[in-house]
Amino acid sequence: MTWIRPLGAHAQRPCTLVVCRGCCCGDPRKNPGSDHAGQLARLREAAAASGGRLAVRTSDCLGPCAQANVIVVQPTTEARRRGARAVWFGWALDDTATDEIIAWAESGGPGATPLPATLDLHRIDPPAPKPPADAGRRSRRGR
């Protein structure tokens, strides 16, 4: 289990890798031959060795299941203030993709370092936001 320190309102957030481990990502039945546990261990080792410049979290299903394994690289607090946004990667199944994601995140990630062309091949669009559950219902107030 990875310990997550609560962030204060003004705490600086490191470049963060959000690793999907929902229904399809990390599932050896969907992508046999990929070392899913080894990938997550390598990402966590890189974060531990970064001196706080890199963090790793896991998440339930992030949505684009057809593009498993999905990893989202979130920018640092400072890069986000400058307009950087999270970058989504799919088909991150082998050591090469994992190495490239780690290297880019260690160098600063979104908003700090240009995305390498080879890593751009793994970039995917995030899923469209889901409408609120009550979006189709009419309000009964005021009747």
Side-chain angles (χ1 to χ4, degrees):
M1 180 170 142
T2 302
W3 181 78
I4 299 175
R5 179 185 53 157
L7 296 176
H10 300 289
Q12 294 297 310
R13 181 180 182 171
C15 183
T16 303
L17 304 175
V18 180
V19 184
C20 183
R21 285 299 181 253
C23 63
C24 298
C25 294
D27 186 343
R29 292 171 297 180
K30 177 160 180 140
N31 292 299
S34 293
D35 184 3
H36 304 286
Q39 178 188 52
L40 187 56
R42 289 183 58 221
L43 294 169
R44 287 181 171 155
E45 287 168 9
S50 75
R53 294 178 300 111
L54 184 62
V56 175
R57 296 181 346 186
T58 58
S59 175
D60 278 339
C61 185
L62 292 172
C65 298
Q67 298 162 331
N69 287 346
V70 174
I71 298 175
V72 179
V73 181
Q74 297 176 326
T76 64
T77 301
E78 184 57 36
R80 186 170 289 277
R81 282 187 193 122
R82 292 189 315 261
R85 295 295 173 250
V87 179
W88 288 59
F89 297 103
W91 304 288
L93 295 165
D94 60 17
D95 287 339
T96 302
T98 303
D99 290 342
E100 290 176 354
I101 290 170
I102 290 170
W104 185 57
E106 286 178 334
S107 69
T113 306
L115 185 66
T118 53
L119 195 51
D120 192 41
L121 297 172
H122 287 278
R123 191 164 50 167
I124 61 173
D125 291 328
K130 294 179 182 177
D134 62 348
R137 298 181 194 159
R138 291 179 19 196
S139 173
R140 295 185 187 255
R141 292 181 187 173
R143 285 190 178 185

Short mmCIF file of all heavy atoms in Angstrom, two decimals, residues 21-90:
data_model
loop_
_atom_site.label_atom_id
_atom_site.label_comp_id
_atom_site.label_asym_id
_atom_site.label_seq_id
_atom_site.Cartn_x
_atom_site.Cartn_y
_atom_site.Cartn_z
N ARG A 21 -5.75 0.76 -12.78
CA ARG A 21 -5.74 -0.65 -12.41
C ARG A 21 -7.19 -1.09 -12.18
O ARG A 21 -7.52 -1.74 -11.21
CB ARG A 21 -4.88 -0.91 -11.16
CG ARG A 21 -3.38 -0.86 -11.46
CD ARG A 21 -3.01 -1.93 -12.47
NE ARG A 21 -1.60 -1.96 -12.78
CZ ARG A 21 -1.08 -1.54 -13.92
NH1 ARG A 21 -1.84 -1.01 -14.85
NH2 ARG A 21 0.21 -1.65 -14.15
N GLY A 22 -8.05 -0.72 -13.12
CA GLY A 22 -9.46 -1.05 -13.05
C GLY A 22 -9.76 -2.37 -13.72
O GLY A 22 -9.01 -3.33 -13.60
N CYS A 23 -10.82 -2.39 -14.48
CA CYS A 23 -11.33 -3.64 -15.05
C CYS A 23 -10.40 -4.25 -16.09
O CYS A 23 -10.33 -5.46 -16.22
CB CYS A 23 -12.71 -3.41 -15.65
SG CYS A 23 -12.74 -2.25 -17.02
N CYS A 24 -9.68 -3.45 -16.85
CA CYS A 24 -8.87 -3.98 -17.95
C CYS A 24 -7.38 -3.72 -17.79
O CYS A 24 -6.56 -4.57 -18.11
CB CYS A 24 -9.33 -3.38 -19.28
SG CYS A 24 -11.04 -3.81 -19.68
N CYS A 25 -7.04 -2.53 -17.34
CA CYS A 25 -5.62 -2.19 -17.17
C CYS A 25 -5.05 -3.03 -16.04
O CYS A 25 -5.64 -3.15 -14.98
CB CYS A 25 -5.46 -0.71 -16.85
SG CYS A 25 -5.95 0.39 -18.19
N GLY A 26 -3.89 -3.60 -16.29
CA GLY A 26 -3.26 -4.42 -15.28
C GLY A 26 -3.81 -5.84 -15.22
O GLY A 26 -3.42 -6.62 -14.36
N ASP A 27 -4.70 -6.18 -16.14
CA ASP A 27 -5.31 -7.51 -16.15
C ASP A 27 -4.57 -8.42 -17.13
O ASP A 27 -4.62 -8.19 -18.33
CB ASP A 27 -6.78 -7.41 -16.54
CG ASP A 27 -7.52 -8.73 -16.42
OD1 ASP A 27 -6.88 -9.80 -16.35
OD2 ASP A 27 -8.76 -8.69 -16.41
N PRO A 28 -3.89 -9.45 -16.63
CA PRO A 28 -3.14 -10.33 -17.52
C PRO A 28 -4.03 -11.12 -18.49
O PRO A 28 -3.56 -11.59 -19.51
CB PRO A 28 -2.39 -11.27 -16.58
CG PRO A 28 -2.92 -11.05 -15.23
CD PRO A 28 -3.71 -9.78 -15.22
N ARG A 29 -5.32 -11.20 -18.19
CA ARG A 29 -6.22 -11.88 -19.14
C ARG A 29 -6.44 -11.03 -20.39
O ARG A 29 -6.62 -11.54 -21.47
CB ARG A 29 -7.55 -12.21 -18.48
CG ARG A 29 -7.43 -13.27 -17.38
CD ARG A 29 -8.71 -13.40 -16.62
NE ARG A 29 -8.94 -12.10 -15.97
CZ ARG A 29 -9.98 -11.83 -15.21
NH1 ARG A 29 -10.89 -12.75 -14.98
NH2 ARG A 29 -10.12 -10.66 -14.65
N LYS A 30 -6.44 -9.72 -20.23
CA LYS A 30 -6.65 -8.82 -21.37
C LYS A 30 -5.35 -8.65 -22.17
O LYS A 30 -5.37 -8.61 -23.38
CB LYS A 30 -7.16 -7.46 -20.91
CG LYS A 30 -7.30 -6.50 -22.09
CD LYS A 30 -8.21 -5.38 -21.81
CE LYS A 30 -8.28 -4.50 -23.04
NZ LYS A 30 -9.56 -4.01 -23.34
N ASN A 31 -4.25 -8.49 -21.47
CA ASN A 31 -2.96 -8.29 -22.12
C ASN A 31 -1.94 -9.28 -21.56
O ASN A 31 -1.06 -8.90 -20.79
CB ASN A 31 -2.48 -6.85 -21.92
CG ASN A 31 -3.35 -5.87 -22.67
OD1 ASN A 31 -3.45 -5.91 -23.89
ND2 ASN A 31 -4.00 -4.98 -21.94
N PRO A 32 -2.06 -10.55 -21.96
CA PRO A 32 -1.11 -11.54 -21.46
C PRO A 32 0.29 -11.23 -22.00
O PRO A 32 0.45 -10.65 -23.06
CB PRO A 32 -1.63 -12.86 -22.00
CG PRO A 32 -2.50 -12.51 -23.15
CD PRO A 32 -3.02 -11.13 -22.89
N GLY A 33 1.28 -11.57 -21.22
CA GLY A 33 2.66 -11.34 -21.64
C GLY A 33 3.21 -10.01 -21.16
O GLY A 33 4.41 -9.77 -21.28
N SER A 34 2.36 -9.15 -20.64
CA SER A 34 2.83 -7.89 -20.07
C SER A 34 2.99 -8.07 -18.56
O SER A 34 2.15 -8.70 -17.92
CB SER A 34 1.81 -6.77 -20.33
OG SER A 34 1.75 -6.47 -21.70
N ASP A 35 4.06 -7.51 -18.03
CA ASP A 35 4.33 -7.62 -16.60
C ASP A 35 3.68 -6.43 -15.88
O ASP A 35 4.31 -5.42 -15.60
CB ASP A 35 5.83 -7.65 -16.35
CG ASP A 35 6.19 -7.87 -14.89
OD1 ASP A 35 5.27 -8.05 -14.06
OD2 ASP A 35 7.39 -7.84 -14.58
N HIS A 36 2.39 -6.55 -15.62
CA HIS A 36 1.63 -5.46 -15.02
C HIS A 36 2.12 -5.11 -13.61
O HIS A 36 2.28 -3.94 -13.29
CB HIS A 36 0.14 -5.82 -14.99
CG HIS A 36 -0.40 -6.16 -16.33
ND1 HIS A 36 -0.65 -5.21 -17.30
CD2 HIS A 36 -0.74 -7.35 -16.89
CE1 HIS A 36 -1.12 -5.78 -18.39
NE2 HIS A 36 -1.18 -7.09 -18.16
N ALA A 37 2.36 -6.13 -12.80
CA ALA A 37 2.85 -5.88 -11.44
C ALA A 37 4.25 -5.28 -11.49
O ALA A 37 4.57 -4.37 -10.72
CB ALA A 37 2.85 -7.18 -10.64
N GLY A 38 5.08 -5.76 -12.40
CA GLY A 38 6.42 -5.22 -12.55
C GLY A 38 6.41 -3.77 -13.00
O GLY A 38 7.23 -2.96 -12.55
N GLN A 39 5.47 -3.42 -13.88
CA GLN A 39 5.35 -2.04 -14.33
C GLN A 39 5.03 -1.11 -13.15
O GLN A 39 5.67 -0.08 -12.96
CB GLN A 39 4.26 -1.91 -15.39
CG GLN A 39 4.05 -0.48 -15.86
CD GLN A 39 2.84 -0.33 -16.76
OE1 GLN A 39 1.74 -0.75 -16.41
NE2 GLN A 39 3.07 0.26 -17.93
N LEU A 40 4.05 -1.50 -12.36
CA LEU A 40 3.66 -0.68 -11.22
C LEU A 40 4.81 -0.58 -10.22
O LEU A 40 5.08 0.50 -9.68
CB LEU A 40 2.40 -1.24 -10.56
CG LEU A 40 1.79 -0.40 -9.46
CD1 LEU A 40 1.48 1.02 -9.93
CD2 LEU A 40 0.51 -1.08 -8.95
N ALA A 41 5.52 -1.66 -10.00
CA ALA A 41 6.67 -1.64 -9.08
C ALA A 41 7.75 -0.69 -9.59
O ALA A 41 8.32 0.08 -8.81
CB ALA A 41 7.24 -3.05 -8.91
N ARG A 42 8.02 -0.70 -10.89
CA ARG A 42 9.04 0.20 -11.46
C ARG A 42 8.62 1.66 -11.32
O ARG A 42 9.46 2.53 -11.03
CB ARG A 42 9.27 -0.14 -12.93
CG ARG A 42 10.00 -1.47 -13.08
CD ARG A 42 10.32 -1.80 -14.52
NE ARG A 42 11.12 -0.75 -15.10
CZ ARG A 42 10.95 -0.28 -16.34
NH1 ARG A 42 10.00 -0.76 -17.11
NH2 ARG A 42 11.73 0.68 -16.81
N LEU A 43 7.34 1.95 -11.53
CA LEU A 43 6.86 3.32 -11.38
C LEU A 43 7.01 3.78 -9.94
O LEU A 43 7.45 4.90 -9.67
CB LEU A 43 5.41 3.43 -11.85
CG LEU A 43 5.17 3.18 -13.34
CD1 LEU A 43 3.67 3.06 -13.62
CD2 LEU A 43 5.79 4.28 -14.19
N ARG A 44 6.67 2.91 -9.00
CA ARG A 44 6.79 3.25 -7.58
C ARG A 44 8.25 3.41 -7.16
O ARG A 44 8.58 4.28 -6.36
CB ARG A 44 6.09 2.20 -6.73
CG ARG A 44 4.59 2.31 -6.83
CD ARG A 44 3.88 1.30 -5.98
NE ARG A 44 2.45 1.58 -5.94
CZ ARG A 44 1.53 0.67 -5.71
NH1 ARG A 44 1.87 -0.58 -5.46
NH2 ARG A 44 0.25 1.01 -5.71
N GLU A 45 9.13 2.58 -7.72
CA GLU A 45 10.57 2.71 -7.42
C GLU A 45 11.10 4.05 -7.92
O GLU A 45 11.89 4.71 -7.24
CB GLU A 45 11.35 1.56 -8.07
CG GLU A 45 11.16 0.23 -7.39
CD GLU A 45 11.71 -0.93 -8.21
OE1 GLU A 45 12.39 -0.70 -9.24
OE2 GLU A 45 11.44 -2.07 -7.83
N ALA A 46 10.67 4.45 -9.12
CA ALA A 46 11.10 5.75 -9.66
C ALA A 46 10.62 6.89 -8.77
O ALA A 46 11.37 7.84 -8.52
CB ALA A 46 10.58 5.92 -11.09
N ALA A 47 9.39 6.79 -8.28
CA ALA A 47 8.86 7.84 -7.39
C ALA A 47 9.65 7.87 -6.08
O ALA A 47 10.00 8.95 -5.60
CB ALA A 47 7.37 7.61 -7.12
N ALA A 48 9.95 6.71 -5.54
CA ALA A 48 10.69 6.65 -4.28
C ALA A 48 12.10 7.23 -4.44
O ALA A 48 12.62 7.87 -3.52
CB ALA A 48 10.76 5.21 -3.78
N ALA A 49 12.69 7.04 -5.60
CA ALA A 49 14.06 7.52 -5.84
C ALA A 49 14.10 8.99 -6.26
O ALA A 49 15.18 9.57 -6.36
CB ALA A 49 14.72 6.66 -6.91
N SER A 50 12.95 9.60 -6.49
CA SER A 50 12.92 10.96 -7.05
C SER A 50 13.08 12.06 -6.01
O SER A 50 13.15 13.24 -6.37
CB SER A 50 11.60 11.18 -7.79
OG SER A 50 10.52 11.36 -6.89
N GLY A 51 13.09 11.71 -4.76
CA GLY A 51 13.22 12.73 -3.72
C GLY A 51 12.00 13.64 -3.62
O GLY A 51 12.12 14.81 -3.29
N GLY A 52 10.83 13.12 -3.94
CA GLY A 52 9.60 13.89 -3.82
C GLY A 52 9.20 14.65 -5.08
O GLY A 52 8.18 15.33 -5.09
N ARG A 53 9.98 14.53 -6.15
CA ARG A 53 9.63 15.22 -7.40
C ARG A 53 8.61 14.46 -8.23
O ARG A 53 8.06 14.99 -9.19
CB ARG A 53 10.88 15.46 -8.25
CG ARG A 53 11.87 16.42 -7.64
CD ARG A 53 13.12 16.60 -8.50
NE ARG A 53 13.83 15.33 -8.70
CZ ARG A 53 13.91 14.69 -9.86
NH1 ARG A 53 13.36 15.17 -10.93
NH2 ARG A 53 14.55 13.54 -9.95
N LEU A 54 8.34 13.20 -7.85
CA LEU A 54 7.45 12.33 -8.61
C LEU A 54 6.61 11.53 -7.63
O LEU A 54 7.12 11.08 -6.60
CB LEU A 54 8.29 11.40 -9.48
CG LEU A 54 7.61 10.44 -10.43
CD1 LEU A 54 6.81 11.20 -11.48
CD2 LEU A 54 8.66 9.58 -11.12
N ALA A 55 5.33 11.38 -7.94
CA ALA A 55 4.43 10.57 -7.11
C ALA A 55 3.67 9.60 -8.01
O ALA A 55 3.48 9.85 -9.20
CB ALA A 55 3.45 11.46 -6.36
N VAL A 56 3.23 8.50 -7.43
CA VAL A 56 2.46 7.49 -8.16
C VAL A 56 1.22 7.16 -7.36
O VAL A 56 1.29 6.98 -6.15
CB VAL A 56 3.29 6.20 -8.40
CG1 VAL A 56 2.44 5.12 -9.04
CG2 VAL A 56 4.50 6.49 -9.26
N ARG A 57 0.09 7.12 -8.05
CA ARG A 57 -1.18 6.69 -7.46
C ARG A 57 -1.79 5.66 -8.38
O ARG A 57 -1.56 5.69 -9.58
CB ARG A 57 -2.15 7.85 -7.35
CG ARG A 57 -1.75 8.96 -6.47
CD ARG A 57 -2.79 10.05 -6.41
NE ARG A 57 -3.79 9.90 -7.48
CZ ARG A 57 -4.74 10.76 -7.75
NH1 ARG A 57 -4.86 11.85 -7.06
NH2 ARG A 57 -5.59 10.58 -8.71
N THR A 58 -2.60 4.79 -7.83
CA THR A 58 -3.39 3.90 -8.66
C THR A 58 -4.84 4.34 -8.61
O THR A 58 -5.26 5.01 -7.67
CB THR A 58 -3.28 2.42 -8.21
OG1 THR A 58 -3.69 2.33 -6.86
CG2 THR A 58 -1.86 1.91 -8.38
N SER A 59 -5.58 3.97 -9.62
CA SER A 59 -6.98 4.36 -9.72
C SER A 59 -7.79 3.19 -10.25
O SER A 59 -7.26 2.34 -10.98
CB SER A 59 -7.11 5.54 -10.68
OG SER A 59 -8.47 5.86 -10.89
N ASP A 60 -9.06 3.19 -9.91
CA ASP A 60 -9.95 2.25 -10.58
C ASP A 60 -10.07 2.69 -12.03
O ASP A 60 -9.42 3.64 -12.45
CB ASP A 60 -11.33 2.26 -9.91
CG ASP A 60 -11.36 1.38 -8.67
OD1 ASP A 60 -10.51 0.48 -8.56
OD2 ASP A 60 -12.24 1.59 -7.82
N CYS A 61 -10.92 2.07 -12.76
CA CYS A 61 -11.06 2.29 -14.20
C CYS A 61 -11.12 3.78 -14.56
O CYS A 61 -11.96 4.53 -14.06
CB CYS A 61 -12.31 1.59 -14.70
SG CYS A 61 -12.48 1.67 -16.49
N LEU A 62 -10.22 4.20 -15.43
CA LEU A 62 -10.19 5.58 -15.91
C LEU A 62 -11.01 5.77 -17.19
O LEU A 62 -11.20 6.89 -17.62
CB LEU A 62 -8.74 6.03 -16.15
CG LEU A 62 -7.90 6.16 -14.89
CD1 LEU A 62 -6.44 6.42 -15.25
CD2 LEU A 62 -8.44 7.28 -14.01
N GLY A 63 -11.45 4.68 -17.81
CA GLY A 63 -12.37 4.82 -18.93
C GLY A 63 -11.97 4.22 -20.25
O GLY A 63 -12.71 3.41 -20.79
N PRO A 64 -10.84 4.57 -20.83
CA PRO A 64 -10.54 4.06 -22.18
C PRO A 64 -9.99 2.63 -22.15
O PRO A 64 -8.82 2.38 -22.40
CB PRO A 64 -9.52 5.06 -22.74
CG PRO A 64 -9.03 5.85 -21.59
CD PRO A 64 -9.95 5.63 -20.42
N CYS A 65 -10.86 1.69 -21.83
CA CYS A 65 -10.46 0.29 -21.63
C CYS A 65 -9.83 -0.34 -22.87
O CYS A 65 -8.98 -1.22 -22.75
CB CYS A 65 -11.65 -0.54 -21.17
SG CYS A 65 -12.32 0.01 -19.58
N ALA A 66 -10.24 0.08 -24.04
CA ALA A 66 -9.70 -0.49 -25.27
C ALA A 66 -8.24 -0.09 -25.46
O ALA A 66 -7.55 -0.65 -26.31
CB ALA A 66 -10.52 -0.04 -26.47
N GLN A 67 -7.75 0.87 -24.68
CA GLN A 67 -6.39 1.37 -24.84
C GLN A 67 -5.52 1.04 -23.62
O GLN A 67 -4.53 1.70 -23.35
CB GLN A 67 -6.44 2.89 -25.08
CG GLN A 67 -7.19 3.21 -26.35
CD GLN A 67 -7.64 4.65 -26.43
OE1 GLN A 67 -7.90 5.30 -25.42
NE2 GLN A 67 -7.77 5.15 -27.64
N ALA A 68 -5.89 -0.03 -22.91
CA ALA A 68 -5.15 -0.45 -21.71
C ALA A 68 -3.72 -0.83 -22.09
O ALA A 68 -3.49 -1.33 -23.18
CB ALA A 68 -5.85 -1.63 -21.07
N ASN A 69 -2.83 -0.55 -21.21
CA ASN A 69 -2.80 0.06 -19.91
C ASN A 69 -2.76 1.58 -20.05
O ASN A 69 -2.01 2.12 -20.85
CB ASN A 69 -1.58 -0.39 -19.13
CG ASN A 69 -1.66 -1.80 -18.63
OD1 ASN A 69 -2.68 -2.45 -18.62
ND2 ASN A 69 -0.53 -2.32 -18.19
N VAL A 70 -3.54 2.25 -19.21
CA VAL A 70 -3.63 3.71 -19.26
C VAL A 70 -2.86 4.31 -18.07
O VAL A 70 -3.00 3.84 -16.94
CB VAL A 70 -5.11 4.16 -19.22
CG1 VAL A 70 -5.21 5.67 -19.12
CG2 VAL A 70 -5.85 3.65 -20.45
N ILE A 71 -2.06 5.32 -18.38
CA ILE A 71 -1.33 6.08 -17.36
C ILE A 71 -1.56 7.55 -17.65
O ILE A 71 -1.39 7.99 -18.79
CB ILE A 71 0.17 5.75 -17.36
CG1 ILE A 71 0.40 4.27 -17.05
CG2 ILE A 71 0.92 6.65 -16.37
CD1 ILE A 71 1.85 3.82 -17.16
N VAL A 72 -1.93 8.31 -16.64
CA VAL A 72 -2.13 9.76 -16.78
C VAL A 72 -1.00 10.45 -16.02
O VAL A 72 -0.75 10.14 -14.87
CB VAL A 72 -3.50 10.18 -16.20
CG1 VAL A 72 -3.68 11.69 -16.35
CG2 VAL A 72 -4.63 9.42 -16.88
N VAL A 73 -0.34 11.39 -16.70
CA VAL A 73 0.72 12.16 -16.07
C VAL A 73 0.16 13.55 -15.77
O VAL A 73 -0.18 14.30 -16.68
CB VAL A 73 1.98 12.25 -16.96
CG1 VAL A 73 3.08 13.04 -16.25
CG2 VAL A 73 2.48 10.86 -17.32
N GLN A 74 0.06 13.85 -14.48
CA GLN A 74 -0.47 15.13 -14.04
C GLN A 74 0.69 16.09 -13.77
O GLN A 74 1.71 15.69 -13.21
CB GLN A 74 -1.29 14.96 -12.76
CG GLN A 74 -2.51 14.10 -12.97
CD GLN A 74 -3.26 13.86 -11.67
OE1 GLN A 74 -2.67 13.77 -10.60
NE2 GLN A 74 -4.57 13.76 -11.77
N PRO A 75 0.53 17.36 -14.16
CA PRO A 75 1.62 18.32 -13.97
C PRO A 75 1.81 18.71 -12.50
O PRO A 75 0.92 18.51 -11.68
CB PRO A 75 1.16 19.53 -14.79
CG PRO A 75 -0.32 19.42 -14.85
CD PRO A 75 -0.64 17.96 -14.81
N THR A 76 2.95 19.29 -12.24
CA THR A 76 3.21 19.84 -10.91
C THR A 76 2.28 21.02 -10.67
O THR A 76 1.66 21.55 -11.60
CB THR A 76 4.67 20.34 -10.80
OG1 THR A 76 4.83 21.42 -11.73
CG2 THR A 76 5.68 19.25 -11.08
N THR A 77 2.20 21.45 -9.44
CA THR A 77 1.37 22.61 -9.10
C THR A 77 1.80 23.83 -9.91
O THR A 77 0.97 24.54 -10.47
CB THR A 77 1.48 22.92 -7.59
OG1 THR A 77 1.06 21.78 -6.86
CG2 THR A 77 0.64 24.12 -7.21
N GLU A 78 3.09 24.08 -9.97
CA GLU A 78 3.61 25.24 -10.69
C GLU A 78 3.29 25.16 -12.19
O GLU A 78 2.87 26.15 -12.80
CB GLU A 78 5.11 25.38 -10.48
CG GLU A 78 5.71 26.62 -11.11
CD GLU A 78 5.06 27.92 -10.64
OE1 GLU A 78 4.68 28.02 -9.46
OE2 GLU A 78 4.92 28.83 -11.47
N ALA A 79 3.47 24.00 -12.80
CA ALA A 79 3.17 23.86 -14.22
C ALA A 79 1.67 24.04 -14.48
O ALA A 79 1.27 24.63 -15.48
CB ALA A 79 3.64 22.50 -14.72
N ARG A 80 0.84 23.54 -13.58
CA ARG A 80 -0.60 23.72 -13.73
C ARG A 80 -0.97 25.20 -13.66
O ARG A 80 -1.80 25.68 -14.41
CB ARG A 80 -1.36 22.93 -12.66
CG ARG A 80 -2.87 22.97 -12.87
CD ARG A 80 -3.60 22.01 -11.98
NE ARG A 80 -3.42 20.63 -12.33
CZ ARG A 80 -4.10 19.99 -13.27
NH1 ARG A 80 -4.99 20.62 -13.98
NH2 ARG A 80 -3.89 18.72 -13.51
N ARG A 81 -0.32 25.93 -12.76
CA ARG A 81 -0.58 27.38 -12.67
C ARG A 81 -0.24 28.08 -13.99
O ARG A 81 -0.84 29.09 -14.33
CB ARG A 81 0.25 28.00 -11.55
CG ARG A 81 -0.32 27.78 -10.20
CD ARG A 81 0.44 28.57 -9.14
NE ARG A 81 0.06 28.09 -7.83
CZ ARG A 81 0.89 27.61 -6.93
NH1 ARG A 81 2.19 27.56 -7.17
NH2 ARG A 81 0.45 27.18 -5.77
N ARG A 82 0.75 27.54 -14.70
CA ARG A 82 1.14 28.12 -15.99
C ARG A 82 0.30 27.59 -17.15
O ARG A 82 0.56 27.91 -18.29
CB ARG A 82 2.62 27.84 -16.25
CG ARG A 82 3.56 28.58 -15.31
CD ARG A 82 5.02 28.46 -15.74
NE ARG A 82 5.42 27.12 -16.12
CZ ARG A 82 6.07 26.26 -15.34
NH1 ARG A 82 6.38 26.59 -14.11
NH2 ARG A 82 6.40 25.06 -15.79
N GLY A 83 -0.70 26.76 -16.85
CA GLY A 83 -1.62 26.29 -17.88
C GLY A 83 -1.44 24.85 -18.33
O GLY A 83 -2.19 24.38 -19.18
N ALA A 84 -0.47 24.13 -17.79
CA ALA A 84 -0.26 22.74 -18.18
C ALA A 84 -1.43 21.88 -17.70
O ALA A 84 -2.02 22.14 -16.65
CB ALA A 84 1.05 22.21 -17.60
N ARG A 85 -1.75 20.87 -18.47
CA ARG A 85 -2.82 19.95 -18.12
C ARG A 85 -2.31 18.51 -18.20
O ARG A 85 -1.28 18.24 -18.82
CB ARG A 85 -4.02 20.12 -19.06
CG ARG A 85 -4.69 21.48 -18.91
CD ARG A 85 -5.30 21.60 -17.51
NE ARG A 85 -5.82 22.92 -17.22
CZ ARG A 85 -5.29 23.78 -16.35
NH1 ARG A 85 -4.19 23.49 -15.71
NH2 ARG A 85 -5.85 24.94 -16.12
N ALA A 86 -3.04 17.61 -17.61
CA ALA A 86 -2.67 16.20 -17.59
C ALA A 86 -2.59 15.65 -19.01
O ALA A 86 -3.32 16.07 -19.90
CB ALA A 86 -3.69 15.40 -16.78
N VAL A 87 -1.67 14.70 -19.19
CA VAL A 87 -1.51 14.03 -20.47
C VAL A 87 -1.82 12.55 -20.26
O VAL A 87 -1.30 11.93 -19.33
CB VAL A 87 -0.08 14.21 -21.03
CG1 VAL A 87 0.08 13.48 -22.35
CG2 VAL A 87 0.24 15.70 -21.19
N TRP A 88 -2.68 12.02 -21.13
CA TRP A 88 -3.13 10.63 -21.02
C TRP A 88 -2.35 9.77 -22.01
O TRP A 88 -2.19 10.15 -23.18
CB TRP A 88 -4.61 10.54 -21.33
CG TRP A 88 -5.50 11.11 -20.27
CD1 TRP A 88 -5.50 12.39 -19.80
CD2 TRP A 88 -6.51 10.41 -19.57
NE1 TRP A 88 -6.47 12.52 -18.83
CE2 TRP A 88 -7.11 11.32 -18.68
CE3 TRP A 88 -6.99 9.10 -19.61
CZ2 TRP A 88 -8.15 10.96 -17.83
CZ3 TRP A 88 -8.02 8.74 -18.77
CH2 TRP A 88 -8.59 9.66 -17.89
N PHE A 89 -1.91 8.60 -21.53
CA PHE A 89 -1.20 7.65 -22.38
C PHE A 89 -1.93 6.30 -22.35
O PHE A 89 -2.40 5.86 -21.31
CB PHE A 89 0.23 7.45 -21.90
CG PHE A 89 1.05 8.70 -21.96
CD1 PHE A 89 1.32 9.42 -20.81
CD2 PHE A 89 1.53 9.18 -23.17
CE1 PHE A 89 2.06 10.58 -20.87
CE2 PHE A 89 2.27 10.35 -23.24
CZ PHE A 89 2.54 11.05 -22.08
N GLY A 90 -2.00 5.68 -23.50
CA GLY A 90 -2.59 4.35 -23.61
C GLY A 90 -1.60 3.37 -24.21
O GLY A 90 -0.55 3.76 -24.71
#
